Amino acid sequence: MVRLKKGIFFTFSAFFLVMLVVVLSLLVTKTLHQSNLRLSESGSLDRIYMLKVSLDRIISGIDDGITINLFWNDETNSTDLTISESINTNFANYGSSFYSDMQTLSNFVEADQPEINFDLSKVYGNSEKIPIIVDPNNFRYTHINENNDVLLRIYPGSYLSQVKLGVTQLNDVGSEIDWVTQNPGDDFVLNLTISDKNGDTTSETYLLNSTLVNTFRLNNKMDLTIGVLCAQCVELDRSNTNITTTFIATFPYSGEMLTVNYPQGLYLMNFSNLEILVNSTPRIL
């Protein structure tokens, strides 16, 4: 009887020991599997990051015909944004070289990386082309189709207090600025300069009520309107005149760094096995 009890004890002891080894083995195997998954995901996330950085760098290097600079102004404790470009064509041809380069990039990337898809309508469409976005202010500088003419529109976003706009005509003589509709105020400063191809220049500074309509006529051809679309919105109808523009906006200090981007969703990176969807907004400054 004693031997039988000892046998049962040793049998159960051996059984529990074997089960303990099996359980520990399963735990080790599961832990190793999870570690391999985490390592794989970490490597995939690193790959996504490197792809995004590489794409943003390539996109920022594609010439869209627009020169952009952000400058911190110590004297005014604000950020100055400068956007310069020449508009000397109709809407159908505006930015065609940029669009061709973006198509080439899109075709190359999508053929090699099926997880990445471009939506070029974000930057080049029938009604709008090459919109520039400034965050976190939601400022928008864009080009609208108006009877196949390139109409320049600037949306101020959350706040815009001061604008400097220089317009140089490339093929006409004259530098006249005339009021069409005038609503003076004290919430918006406009420094307006118009020049002709001979170098003759007229400059004026206006204090405006930007919630009401203010319209200037430049050389009896182009209309510059402020406050129609929204408070402090700027619209330049160049009437197919070939021009070069330099736009300078002042943004008060907000404690955040301004970034200059194309609209969000220009390209999507979809890695569904990791349940990751990156809706990317490449910085272009």
Side-chain angles (χ1 to χ4, degrees):
M1 188 68 178
V2 174
R3 289 181 178 178
L4 180 60
K5 290 181 178 179
K6 286 184 177 180
I8 294 173
F9 173 77
F10 285 120
T11 299
F12 274 102
S13 298
F15 173 76
F16 283 120
L17 182 61
V18 171
M19 290 301 297
L20 179 62
V21 171
V22 170
V23 171
L24 289 174
S25 298
L26 289 175
L27 287 173
V28 170
T29 302
K30 184 177 180 181
T31 302
L32 287 174
H33 178 67
Q34 290 177 341
S35 297
N36 287 333
L37 285 177
R38 299 293 84 77
L39 183 63
S40 175
E41 289 178 357
S42 177
S44 297
L45 288 170
D46 185 63
R47 173 171 171 260
I48 292 173
Y49 173 76
M50 294 306 297
L51 281 171
K52 181 183 182 305
V53 170
S54 178
L55 275 175
D56 289 354
R57 184 181 298 115
I58 293 172
I59 291 172
S60 67
I62 296 178
D63 184 15
D64 58 8
I66 304 173
T67 300
I68 303 170
N69 287 296
L70 284 175
F71 173 74
W72 175 253
N73 192 324
D74 289 319
E75 295 181 359
T76 60
N77 198 37
S78 59
T79 299
D80 291 337
L81 167 69
T82 302
I83 302 177
S84 302
E85 66 171 321
S86 293
I87 305 176
N88 53 14
T89 186
N90 59 30
F91 191 82
N93 294 322
Y94 176 79
S96 57
S97 177
F98 165 74
Y99 183 61
S100 177
D101 290 341
M102 288 296 294
Q103 279 185 311
T104 300
L105 174 64
S106 171
N107 293 336
F108 174 77
V109 171
E110 290 178 354
D112 189 55
Q113 301 286 342
E115 306 93 340
I116 302 175
N117 296 108
F118 280 78
D119 183 1
L120 297 184
S121 66
K122 297 288 185 180
V123 293
Y124 206 87
N126 294 325
S127 59
E128 182 182 33
K129 292 180 179 178
I130 316 183
I132 306 298
I133 311 297
V134 179
D135 287 325
N137 295 71
N138 296 317
F139 170 93
R140 189 180 185 95
Y141 175 102
T142 190
H143 310 85
I144 304 299
N145 185 2
E146 185 75 15
N147 299 320
N148 202 31
D149 180 23
V150 182
L151 192 149
L152 181 63
R153 281 185 183 173
I154 301 163
Y155 299 86
S158 57
Y159 188 79
L160 187 64
S161 61
Q162 182 171 336
V163 163
K164 297 180 181 179
L165 181 63
V167 179
T168 301
Q169 297 179 101
L170 304 180
N171 54 0
D172 288 329
V173 178
S175 57
E176 297 179 359
I177 303 173
D178 298 312
W179 277 101
V180 177
T181 304
Q182 181 179 8
N183 282 293
D186 57 4
D187 68 314
F188 189 72
V189 180
L190 172 67
N191 295 304
L192 178 61
T193 300
I194 181 170
S195 305
D196 65 14
K197 66 176 183 178
N198 296 325
D200 295 325
T201 299
T202 298
S203 297
E204 298 287 349
T205 299
Y206 304 96
L207 294 174
L208 305 177
N209 182 337
S210 67
T211 64
L212 301 176
V213 177
N214 294 274
T215 302
F216 307 88
R217 185 148 295 155
L218 311 181
N219 277 349
N220 295 316
K221 285 189 175 182
M222 294 176 284
D223 284 346
L224 173 66
T225 306
I226 297 172
V228 172
L229 302 171
C230 63
Q232 301 181 358
C233 283
V234 179
E235 180 176 275
L236 176 60
D237 183 354
R238 68 189 184 97
S239 301
N240 282 312
T241 303
N242 295 335
I243 61 172
T244 293
T245 62
T246 299
F247 173 85
I248 303 176
T250 299
F251 295 91
Y253 177 71
S254 60
E256 298 180 75
M257 181 181 293
L258 296 180
T259 59
V260 181
N261 314 287
Y262 292 124
Q264 191 173 17
L266 176 56
Y267 65 86
L268 297 177
M269 302 171 66
N270 186 3
F271 295 80
S272 57
N273 60 320
L274 297 176
E275 297 183 351
I276 294 172
L277 179 64
V278 180
N279 189 350
S280 206
T281 305
R283 184 173 178 177
I284 60 174
L285 182 62

